[in-house]
Amino acid sequence: MLAFITGATGFVGSHVARALAEQGADLRLLVRANSNTKNIDHVKADLVTGDLRDPASLEKGIAGCELLFHVAADYRLWVRDPEEMYRANVEGTRAILEAARKNRVRRVVYTSSVATMGFTSNGQPADENSPVSLENMIGPYKRSKFMAEQVAIEAARAGQDVVIVNPSTPVGERDIKPTPTGRIVVDFLKKKFPAYVDTGLNLVDVRECAIGHTAALEKGRSGERYILGGENLTLKQILDKLAAITGLPSPKIRVPYVLALATGVVDEVVTGRIRGREPRATIDAVRMGRKKMFVSSAKAERELGWKRLPVDDALRRAADWFRENGYA
């Protein structure tokens, strides 16, 4: 079984590669010319150079593969040029699925996100059937992932064997960039969390998330979406868990939404538009925070054998990894 993986140098993708390798799969990994390959240094695999924005490189790289795990995505909550994100996430998904179709790849597992789900302001967990539309998506990242997911769904409707997984918010080791969630851990370790906002996330152990990908390969139904979630936690609960793990104090002051939004406006203008760096707080992130991103994984539990587990160990591994690698 030869599996082609995009995004294997990244956080989730590197864990998917390891999970497949442990199951005995042969791997071919797509890497960009300037990719940091630290996350896959000890993974036995063939590396091919290519880019989601270069269809010819995708067709060449995927030739002869039986399976595709399309994990790669541009995951940022702020980007100077939103079109860059759409090219990677939407058109890149279209290109890799077309390359898989042309090369008669047997099955595709596409990594979407719970960002595409329909969340409400009352905190009720969303699932795969929650009403949602593109108009509900806040910011380029969520919009691009929603549009990319629609590309995958349409491919399945046209007869291609595509299973979609929607991880919630993965946490754990090897969050090399780090992701926006990883930055929460890093900022906490750096004592840069003097206050918190009233929001919530579903955190999932990245190792379990990778195993969920392999379960989707084996048991998932083409065209279906499967939420891979763990614990629904408020931001305050996450910070309290980190405090218990690290011995550092958890913030006690809650910031009102209006103040958080004002902070996002200032940081986005000064840091993003004037200084040209990614802001720590963004308007879109604050707006997204008004809805707790709680989810139900009941469908994956029924059909994939998914198990929801506590995330304390994943948070501990994340904190240890960030410290050991000089992030904090």
Side-chain angles (χ1 to χ4, degrees):
M1 173 173 84
L2 179 58
F4 189 71
I5 307 177
T6 70
T9 59
F11 181 36
V12 175
S14 66
H15 285 274
V16 171
R18 280 176 166 77
L20 287 168
E22 288 172 3
Q23 294 182 11
D26 295 318
L27 304 180
R28 186 181 297 165
L29 312 180
L30 180 72
V31 299
R32 289 177 296 175
N34 60 348
S35 288
N36 180 348
T37 60
K38 179 180 178 180
N39 271 351
I40 53 172
D41 280 349
H42 302 292
V43 177
K44 183 181 178 182
D46 293 328
L47 305 186
V48 295
T49 302
D51 194 293
L52 289 174
R53 295 162 296 184
D54 179 8
S57 70
L58 301 179
E59 291 188 24
K60 181 178 179 181
I62 205 171
C65 292
E66 182 183 358
L67 306 169
L68 165 63
F69 287 81
H70 178 35
V71 190
D74 188 342
Y75 179 24
R76 292 177 287 172
L77 297 184
W78 182 86
V79 60
R80 179 178 287 275
D81 177 13
E83 289 304 315
E84 180 182 343
M85 185 170 280
Y86 290 110
R87 284 192 294 271
N89 291 349
V90 184
E91 297 310 318
T93 296
R94 196 186 311 278
I96 192 67
L97 289 177
E98 178 63 13
R101 188 189 64 79
K102 288 182 178 179
N103 282 278
R104 298 182 180 179
V105 169
R106 177 172 64 83
R107 170 157 268 208
V108 177
V109 176
Y110 167 62
T111 308
S112 185
S113 166
V114 295
T116 66
M117 299 294 161
F119 296 99
T120 62
S121 56
N122 63 13
Q124 279 294 109
D127 63 21
E128 295 86 350
N129 295 317
S130 299
V132 68
S133 68
L134 182 60
E135 288 68 33
N136 300 128
M137 299 294 109
I138 297 172
Y141 173 70
K142 291 190 74 168
R143 283 195 293 271
S144 67
K145 288 299 288 184
F146 184 89
M147 294 166 66
E149 185 177 89
Q150 294 304 305
V151 170
I153 291 171
E154 288 301 321
R157 287 175 180 164
Q160 193 168 2
D161 192 343
V162 182
V163 181
I164 300 158
V165 291
N166 299 76
S168 58
T169 311
V171 65
E173 67 276 35
R174 289 197 295 276
D175 190 354
I176 198 167
K177 279 190 174 179
T179 62
T181 313
R183 283 200 204 101
I184 292 175
V185 180
V186 171
D187 284 347
F188 184 87
L189 294 174
K190 289 182 174 182
K191 301 179 183 178
K192 291 183 177 180
F193 247 110
Y196 65 93
V197 293
D198 182 23
T199 189
L201 298 168
N202 182 288
L203 296 189
V204 64
D205 187 325
V206 69
R207 292 182 182 176
E208 296 302 317
C209 181
I211 294 171
H213 280 66
T214 65
L217 173 71
E218 297 168 1
K219 303 175 183 178
R221 291 182 289 136
S222 182
E224 294 294 320
R225 302 189 297 163
Y226 297 94
I227 293 174
L228 305 180
E231 282 193 88
N232 289 317
L233 298 165
T234 65
L235 177 57
K236 176 58 172 159
Q237 289 173 322
I238 294 170
L239 298 175
D240 286 348
K241 283 181 177 289
L242 286 170
I245 289 168
T246 64
L248 297 172
S250 179
K252 294 180 171 59
I253 301 171
R254 190 177 81 177
V255 176
Y257 173 76
V258 173
L259 181 57
L261 185 62
T263 302
V265 171
V266 172
D267 198 18
E268 192 165 311
V269 170
V270 175
T271 305
R273 298 178 187 175
I274 296 176
R275 296 178 180 172
R277 300 200 304 267
E278 187 171 356
R280 293 166 59 83
T282 68
I283 299 169
D284 286 343
V286 175
R287 289 177 62 209
M288 283 188 279
R290 294 202 80 174
K291 296 180 180 180
K292 291 182 173 67
M293 294 179 65
F294 291 164
V295 295
S296 167
S297 300
K299 181 178 178 179
E301 291 172 36
R302 290 192 308 270
E303 299 190 19
L304 306 183
W306 175 256
K307 294 181 180 179
R308 289 178 291 117
L309 298 175
V311 295
D312 299 71
D313 182 61
L315 284 169
R316 182 176 293 105
R317 298 196 320 268
D320 289 346
W321 189 87
F322 283 129
R323 281 172 162 167
E324 291 166 3
N325 286 272
Y327 290 79

